[in-house]
Amino acid sequence: MINSKIRNFCIIAHIDHGKSTLADRLLERTGTVESRSMTKQVLDDMDLEQERGITIKLHAIQMNYASKSGEKYILNLIDTPGHVDFTYEVSRSLAACEGALLIVDATQGIEAQTISNLYLAIDNGLEIIPIINKIDLQSAMTEEVKDQIVDLLGCKREDILTASAKEGIGTDEILEAIISRIKAPEIKNEKPLRALIFDSIFDTYRGVIVYLRVFDGTLKEGDKIEFFAAGKHFEAEEVGILKMERQRTHMLESGNVGYLIANIKDVNDSKVGDTIVDTVNRASEPIPGFKEVKPMVFSGIYPIASNDFENLRESLSKLKLNDASLTYEPESSVALGFGFRCGFLGLLHLEIVQERLEREYDLAIITTVPNVEYKVYKTNGDLILVDNPATMPDTTVIDRVEEPFISSQIITPVEFIGNIMKLANDRRGVFKNQHYIDTKRVDLNFEFPLAEIIFDFYDKLKSTTRGYASFDYDMKDYRKADLVKLDILLNGEPVDALSSIIHRDNAFYWGKKLCEKLRKLIPRQMFEVAIQAAIGHKVIARESISAMRKNVIAKCYGGDISRKRKLLEKQKEGKKRMKQVGSVEIPQEAFLAVLSIDK
Amino acid sequence: MNYMNKSGIYIHIPFCRRKCSYCDFYLVTNLSVIGKFTSNLRNEIALSSRFYQDVEFDSVFFGGGTPSLLSVDDLAAILKTIKDEYRISDSAEISIESNPEDFTEDNSKLPALRDIGFNRISLGVQSLIDDELKFLTREHDSDMAVRVTQRALKYFENLSADVIYSLPEQKLQSSGRTVDKLIELGVPHISAYTLIFESNTVLNKLRRKNITLPNNESLEAGFYYFITEKLLSAGYNHYEVSNYSLQGFESRHNMKYWDYADYIGFGPSAHSLFRGKRWNNVRNIILYNNLLKENRLTYENITMLTAAEKQNEFILCGLRAQGIHLLNFSKLFGKNFSEIFVNQTDRYIRNGFAEYTSGRFRLTEKGYLLADEITLAFLN
């Protein structure tokens, strides 16, 4: 049976191509929200997202639409994040849909970032509706962009819609295309319940609110349910659909999108991609595609003032409520005192957490150099996992070290192949395969050590391909590697928070660059500061910061004293943002110096 | 906050023939209002005296500007008002700042100043190299400065010379020649300042246009050590970052600032610190004159210092000069300096920046040059 009245879809677009603006127009046109009550872009409600132009957390909204033929439809728009760190979450949102709007900026043409999500959508069997946006702009190249889309999708030219979301042009045609082209969901109310979790948020009063798509059966309040992968049991307390606010409907039928409240206390129980089944009439198989999301990148987060430790714990636990992929556990550093080792999906995720801690929770923190998790086999046969360079055992007790590898897909215009090959080579990439998508575009497959891509690979890739290449990756396996721990010593004292684990071949260059960088970042002190990079006991690079020679104003008489005191008190405040390690004062940026080193 | 020292009186005489390129003191070049100013100043001094009846002053300092521009009669009248209205110790240091050009050969002003009661004179020599004096836009040349210094020493045993060094393009040896000559002349007190590019000066405008640039930190330090070494080996005490004197010739007045004693100031822009309160007079001679004509005092920025602020100021002043007086610190703040700052003091003593000596925690020569940096470690 087909429920011809429901359409589930998402929007795929490059940053700034107008996804949020189009979403706003759809919400207005369907009367879901009054235009004057709209903040600029309804779907992104975290400040940070609006600033970065990236939708970080998923949301969904239901619209009621009366078509030109007079039929009434229910449209569920599911929003998707747009960065490689969140590929898995995107894939689960796409899995909840039957169709996708592909938005391309008429002045920019197709950009590579879109392509990876587009292929995900095609993989998930979604109907793609291509839309060229911003056609009202002077610099629009609508016909050329149509050519590109035809090339990419193999669709017909007349299938491509044109719009200006800003001016509200083309909104009706898009709505009509959604109902005419996107498949209605298959209705299987008679089957045992299977619902896909594509997101969840934490509400202080209600606990976890699960966003889901019902595939098979119906979800009713009072149902005894099980979260398949999590193995947790709950009772459905409240079920409904997602408008601008939650709207209770007591049940959700097969094909629909909505929310579930079930007295779930821990956001970890509601895993993206998990399947909700009925405990009594239990479906035997979950919806395929679930993956346990594991942090890939680890970093220490420390309060600058040691008495902020409890505040930091509190703040992390609050962030964690809405962010199941964030992990943290207490650790301590000789240099930095007590803090937390945190796990992130990727570097962007790390930056977001860091910024939210500083901005929303007003904490002064130090983030240490991110790294991956290594498998260290000791000579006595023990296997330990090392996600912090400081805890790397002594070389004498290590039999071998293995590091995580990823399999990556880079889609690029052919003229950039040379640049990408060079970049891949610099990052210890292993070229596996290539495949021409068309005459202009090629799909390159490399395997990389994850450690080589977590810093700035994505930025480098974009700059070396003028923004055209797209990048996507999956965990592959662990491989043996010749890795060494590089220590940084300040005046002879190792600073554990500055240690890193790197490939032996890069150690010399890396150590030298790191010392140079630290020399620039650490301000002059009252004594000379020697910066050394060492592997074990062997110093491989050295720099020094000469002592401050003079810091005193020549005159200080009656009228100068108060002014001078105020000036010094202000400087003292500035110093509080530095961390004293041994006798050396180190600014926050220094702990991330590694990140800004060019490989 | 009169816990040990007697207090000081500062008189600001805001007149100069013209403003030097590096100077940021409050002054005017319209000398026609001197007469009106002098009577208003005397009025201010007299009006204020009722607040200080129980206070003894052992230092009076005429600064500026150029106090030596005033006639002997005007200066005598001001001094008389002070002595009539305030309790001034018999042995008080009574000091006047002056420029060499005010004491040409045929001038009887030097002995006259001594006769009306001044017993210390500070001469704005700045340099004994003519090119440097031109750079500093001074009115005198080196010959005149030497002659006036020699003559002044006949009348004032207690004489100080100001020197400015670390000038752009100045050679180390050149700064040394000025200091050598002053030592040779027997000047018992020398205030030697590295050139500061103060905001709102002609000099700073030149810097902004990249015409004249300050020496780098390292070069300044080089000059500083060079000058200091010369003075130390000639037997001078280095008793404040920029001040050197033969034994017993320390500036009593300036020590009030650094030992955190009370001082009250008269004249436009003069600052006061009295019993934990700071204020200053208006920095505008017209306003000053108008207010005083109506017998009104010209206080601004009256601030009651908090205990923490006082402690910070006490430390920042002490570290610049002869050190934190430990007994006074505990009397004033009820805390033991060496206990509460044990980490800091240990570190600086270990590294040769400071020492405990004669009941004080005092910076060494090496420490003086980093006094501001070190002070930071002791602030609340």
Side-chain angles (χ1 to χ4, degrees):
Chain A
M1 190 176 106
I2 299 278
N3 183 337
S4 58
K5 301 298 182 238
I6 295 179
R7 297 292 183 276
N8 300 317
F9 71 101
C10 59
I11 303 176
I12 295 170
H14 186 77
I15 288 170
D16 294 336
H17 280 200
K19 175 169 84 169
S20 300
T21 317
L22 178 64
D24 292 354
R25 288 297 90 75
L26 297 179
L27 296 179
E28 275 171 25
R29 177 64 185 77
T30 56
T32 313
V33 60
E34 298 270 329
S35 59
R36 64 176 173 279
S37 70
M38 301 227 347
T39 55
K40 206 172 119 265
Q41 290 160 359
V42 170
L43 284 183
D44 297 348
D45 64 2
M46 276 197 284
D47 277 1
L48 220 56
E49 292 179 35
Q50 295 209 351
E51 268 173 44
R52 285 167 181 259
I54 301 163
T55 312
I56 298 159
K57 292 301 291 180
L58 316 168
H59 295 272
I61 192 158
Q62 188 172 96
M63 297 171 266
N64 294 317
Y65 175 62
S67 76
K68 282 181 180 155
S69 60
E71 302 268 0
K72 288 185 174 157
Y73 289 89
I74 291 168
L75 309 182
N76 288 308
L77 167 58
I78 296 172
D79 203 15
T80 55
H83 189 276
V84 288
D85 283 359
F86 303 100
T87 302
Y88 170 72
E89 290 177 301
V90 174
S91 82
R92 294 304 84 201
S93 295
L94 296 175
C97 302
E98 275 81 21
L101 308 182
L102 170 69
I103 302 182
V104 183
D105 187 320
T107 68
Q108 306 289 321
I110 291 185
E111 304 234 17
Q113 204 186 30
T114 320
I115 296 176
S116 142
N117 283 350
L118 176 63
Y119 279 93
L120 272 178
I122 293 170
D123 285 350
N124 275 289
L126 269 56
E127 176 66 32
I128 310 294
I129 302 176
I131 300 164
I132 301 179
N133 190 24
K134 306 192 190 178
I135 54 161
D136 58 312
L137 295 185
Q138 286 251 311
S139 50
M141 316 172 292
T142 310
E143 292 311 310
E144 288 90 328
V145 176
K146 277 188 181 170
D147 291 342
Q148 292 179 355
I149 292 173
V150 170
D151 264 5
L152 184 69
L153 288 178
C155 63
K156 294 192 199 117
R157 219 177 160 76
E158 55 270 28
D159 290 343
I160 302 169
L161 303 180
T162 55
S164 165
K166 195 158 154 267
E167 300 300 324
I169 300 167
T171 314
D172 288 343
E173 288 75 8
I174 292 168
L175 284 164
E176 286 295 315
I178 290 169
I179 57 171
S180 64
R181 291 204 222 164
I182 295 176
K183 268 191 313 191
E186 243 186 289
I187 300 301
K188 294 176 271 187
N189 280 335
E190 69 294 348
K191 292 184 104 181
L193 172 70
R194 289 204 302 172
L196 174 71
I197 301 175
F198 63 83
D199 195 14
S200 57
I201 60 162
F202 188 85
D203 181 285
T204 322
Y205 303 105
R206 309 300 309 272
V208 176
I209 298 169
V210 180
Y211 292 172
L212 53 84
R213 151 79 194 264
V214 182
F215 277 86
D216 300 340
T218 54
L219 174 63
K220 297 185 299 295
E221 290 175 2
D223 283 355
K224 304 267 189 288
I225 49 174
E226 179 186 342
F227 287 18
F228 203 97
K232 297 283 169 106
H233 294 257
F234 301 100
E235 182 180 323
E237 200 172 89
E238 182 179 326
V239 172
I241 54 171
L242 296 154
K243 295 286 202 169
M244 285 307 286
E245 266 124 32
R246 293 191 299 270
Q247 193 173 310
R248 190 169 184 176
T249 55
H250 308 289
M251 70 170 292
L252 278 172
E253 290 199 323
S254 168
N256 212 346
V257 170
Y259 72 92
L260 162 73
I261 296 172
N263 196 24
I264 304 164
K265 298 285 181 231
D266 186 351
V267 77
N268 286 309
D269 291 340
S270 166
K271 295 175 194 290
V272 169
D274 200 356
T275 304
I276 301 172
V277 297
D278 191 300
T279 9
V280 185
N281 183 15
R282 193 174 188 278
S284 52
E285 291 292 321
I287 298 160
F290 172 76
K291 274 199 289 190
E292 191 76 48
V293 178
K294 277 199 222 134
M296 308 269 263
V297 175
F298 299 83
S299 168
I301 295 187
Y302 288 83
I304 289 188
S306 49
N307 55 7
D308 266 345
F309 177 77
E310 282 306 323
N311 287 342
L312 178 58
R313 181 203 295 278
E314 183 102 335
S315 307
L316 281 168
S317 76
K318 282 185 188 151
L319 285 182
K320 168 89 185 161
L321 288 177
N322 266 322
D323 188 350
S325 44
L326 170 69
T327 64
Y328 65 96
E329 54 187 57
E331 70 169 4
S332 68
S333 148
V334 180
L336 300 177
F338 291 101
F340 294 93
R341 176 98 331 210
C342 301
F344 308 94
L345 295 176
L347 207 61
L348 177 80
H349 188 204
L350 182 160
E351 282 171 20
I352 290 164
V353 170
Q354 183 184 348
E355 253 181 85
R356 293 188 65 185
L357 286 172
E358 287 180 340
R359 231 194 270 190
E360 294 171 30
Y361 297 94
D362 199 25
L363 284 164
I365 52 168
I366 285 175
T367 315
T368 63
V369 180
N371 52 266
V372 301
E373 189 170 59
Y374 297 94
K375 286 183 178 171
V376 179
Y377 293 87
K378 292 167 74 173
T379 44
N380 66 3
D382 286 357
L383 163 66
I384 55 169
L385 295 175
V386 173
D387 64 13
N388 178 356
T391 59
M392 187 64 118
D394 197 84
T395 43
T396 53
V397 300
I398 295 177
D399 175 53
R400 66 182 194 280
V401 179
E402 291 182 355
E403 65 173 333
F405 264 69
I406 55 147
S407 170
S408 77
Q409 180 194 34
I410 298 172
I411 298 170
T412 175
V414 290
E415 63 261 39
F416 300 119
I417 293 178
N419 293 355
I420 292 173
M421 289 293 180
K422 184 179 177 312
L423 176 64
N425 195 40
D426 291 345
R427 301 299 177 100
R428 297 193 284 136
V430 183
F431 177 68
K432 298 305 281 186
N433 199 0
Q434 64 179 5
H435 156 69
Y436 280 86
I437 297 169
D438 54 39
T439 53
K440 291 181 192 146
R441 212 173 297 270
V442 63
D443 176 352
L444 301 170
N445 179 222
F446 290 94
E447 289 169 0
F448 284 105
L450 177 60
E452 296 285 343
I453 62 154
I454 59 171
F455 293 154
D456 58 347
F457 180 82
Y458 195 57
D459 293 339
K460 282 281 172 337
L461 179 68
K462 279 199 287 186
S463 72
T464 199
T465 62
R466 283 194 272 124
Y468 275 99
S470 72
F471 176 68
D472 190 21
Y473 65 85
D474 276 312
M475 266 303 291
K476 176 90 177 159
D477 49 18
Y478 270 79
R479 294 180 198 174
K480 187 179 169 204
D482 189 7
L483 299 169
V484 291
K485 180 179 162 206
L486 182 74
D487 290 319
I488 295 292
L489 292 81
L490 294 180
N491 282 350
E493 293 291 321
V495 180
D496 57 359
L498 288 172
S499 294
S500 48
I501 293 169
I502 52 168
H503 197 265
R504 189 181 298 278
D505 291 350
N506 295 336
F508 182 77
Y509 176 80
W510 190 251
K512 183 167 169 289
K513 285 284 174 186
L514 188 50
C515 287
E516 283 170 8
K517 194 83 198 179
L518 287 169
R519 180 170 59 80
K520 287 181 195 142
L521 288 173
I522 298 174
R524 294 226 252 180
Q525 320 265 321
M526 289 176 54
F527 38 82
E528 186 178 351
V529 177
I531 306 168
Q532 292 167 305
I535 298 169
H537 294 294
K538 192 178 162 212
V539 173
I540 59 165
R542 189 199 154 95
E543 287 282 337
S544 69
I545 303 169
S546 58
M548 182 189 289
R549 294 287 320 268
K550 176 174 182 289
N551 182 11
V552 61
I553 290 291
K555 282 187 185 174
C556 187
Y557 295 101
D560 307 318
I561 295 167
S562 270
R563 193 167 38 136
K564 174 124 191 128
R565 167 177 55 77
K566 286 175 194 158
L567 189 74
L568 291 176
E569 284 169 351
K570 209 167 142 197
Q571 286 178 20
K572 174 102 180 175
E573 277 305 305
K575 282 217 175 208
K576 283 189 186 151
R577 296 194 68 82
M578 296 211 255
K579 194 84 194 176
Q580 179 134 3
V581 178
S583 52
V584 184
E585 284 169 332
I586 309 178
Q588 277 169 294
E589 313 87 81
F591 292 98
L592 286 172
V594 178
L595 295 187
S596 48
I597 291 174
D598 273 337
K599 289 208 177 186
Chain B
M1 185 172 301
N2 216 354
Y3 53 94
M4 62 157 191
N5 285 321
K6 292 168 185 160
S7 303
I9 290 175
Y10 175 79
I11 307 291
H12 191 74
I13 308 291
F15 300 102
C16 280
R17 289 189 185 83
R18 58 198 173 97
K19 189 154 189 157
C20 298
S21 61
Y22 55 86
C23 176
D24 77 331
F25 286 108
Y26 178 68
L27 58 86
V28 292
T29 49
N30 173 11
L31 306 187
S32 68
V33 294
I34 288 180
K36 202 197 286 180
F37 163 78
T38 304
S39 70
N40 285 321
L41 176 67
R42 290 172 60 197
N43 190 24
E44 184 195 8
I45 293 167
L47 279 173
S48 307
S49 66
R50 60 195 154 102
F51 304 121
Y52 309 104
Q53 288 309 304
D54 57 341
V55 183
E56 184 172 349
F57 297 88
D58 66 350
S59 139
V60 179
F61 190 100
F62 283 58
T66 315
S68 57
L69 260 182
L70 264 57
S71 69
V72 172
D73 289 345
D74 280 345
L75 290 167
I78 297 167
L79 262 181
K80 181 173 185 319
T81 311
I82 294 170
K83 287 180 174 168
D84 287 349
E85 301 283 344
Y86 294 80
R87 208 138 59 83
I88 307 295
S89 317
D90 290 341
S91 60
E93 175 188 279
I94 301 179
S95 203
I96 182 165
E97 284 187 326
S98 63
N99 277 335
E101 61 267 24
D102 293 324
F103 306 114
T104 45
E105 308 283 347
D106 56 355
N107 197 318
S108 59
K109 210 165 192 172
L110 277 167
L113 289 177
R114 187 195 58 185
D115 294 343
I116 61 171
F118 288 102
N119 53 27
R120 183 178 185 273
I121 190 164
S122 165
L123 272 176
V125 173
Q126 316 307 358
S127 168
L128 292 174
I129 307 294
D130 286 337
D131 285 345
E132 294 173 9
L133 288 167
K134 272 185 204 133
F135 170 81
L136 293 168
T137 63
R138 298 295 296 184
E139 282 193 44
H140 62 272
D141 61 16
S142 57
D143 274 353
M144 187 197 286
V146 170
R147 283 199 316 275
V148 169
T149 304
Q150 283 169 326
R151 285 191 58 226
L153 278 167
K154 288 185 194 157
Y155 306 103
F156 293 92
E157 182 198 20
N158 194 349
L159 181 146
S160 174
D162 284 351
V163 173
I164 300 178
Y165 67 96
S166 187
L167 311 179
E169 291 168 45
Q170 186 183 31
K171 295 275 185 294
L172 211 53
Q173 296 309 327
S174 171
S175 68
R177 274 203 290 280
T178 297
V179 173
D180 283 341
K181 185 70 188 173
L182 292 172
I183 295 170
E184 184 197 315
L185 290 169
V187 173
H189 185 284
I190 293 175
S191 297
Y193 308 103
T194 51
L195 180 66
I196 307 174
F197 286 64
E198 304 274 10
S199 50
N200 300 321
T201 59
V202 172
L203 193 60
N204 206 41
K205 264 183 212 152
L206 296 175
R207 160 155 80 176
R208 282 204 299 275
K209 289 181 187 158
N210 274 335
I211 297 169
T212 302
L213 294 174
N215 287 329
N216 66 38
E217 179 194 314
S218 195
L219 193 54
E220 278 202 344
F223 272 107
Y224 183 89
Y225 279 125
F226 182 72
I227 298 280
T228 299
E229 190 46 47
K230 270 187 185 306
L231 288 160
L232 290 178
S233 52
Y236 289 76
N237 296 325
H238 192 183
Y239 75 101
E240 194 263 353
V241 168
S242 304
N243 284 278
Y244 309 81
S245 80
L246 296 177
Q247 193 63 42
F249 286 93
E250 292 82 5
S251 162
R252 188 188 290 172
H253 187 80
N254 288 338
M255 295 285 289
K256 301 262 179 253
Y257 303 135
W258 305 320
D259 277 342
Y260 217 54
D262 285 347
Y263 53 92
I264 53 174
F266 303 114
S269 85
H271 286 253
S272 305
L273 169 68
F274 192 74
R275 296 189 178 154
K277 191 155 61 169
R278 284 196 181 280
W279 69 91
N280 62 269
N281 281 347
V282 292
R283 197 182 157 98
N284 178 327
I285 192 162
I286 297 167
L287 193 53
Y288 176 85
N289 280 334
N290 289 342
L291 286 167
L292 277 158
K293 210 159 57 190
E294 297 169 24
N295 296 324
R296 286 160 60 190
L297 296 174
T298 73
Y299 297 169
E300 285 184 340
N301 305 318
I302 302 166
T303 313
M304 206 61 210
L305 296 168
T306 65
E309 286 168 346
K310 274 184 232 169
Q311 184 178 314
N312 285 350
E313 291 185 357
F314 184 89
I315 289 173
L316 98 82
C317 292
L319 289 178
R320 290 184 64 88
Q322 288 176 305
I324 306 295
H325 194 287
L326 302 175
L327 203 60
N328 288 338
F329 186 91
S330 68
K331 273 191 209 158
L332 279 173
F333 305 110
K335 288 181 269 190
N336 186 330
F337 179 86
S338 51
E339 267 172 29
I340 60 175
F341 292 116
V342 63
N343 292 333
Q344 290 92 324
T345 53
D346 275 5
R347 186 163 83 238
Y348 293 127
I349 291 170
R350 195 169 56 240
N351 293 310
F353 291 110
E355 61 193 356
Y356 277 111
T357 171
S358 334
R360 288 174 183 251
F361 174 75
R362 188 187 165 142
L363 298 188
T364 59
E365 285 302 331
K366 194 174 140 190
Y368 266 159
L369 208 44
L370 294 168
D372 288 356
E373 181 70 19
I374 293 171
T375 301
L376 287 180
F378 292 92
L379 294 187
N380 278 302

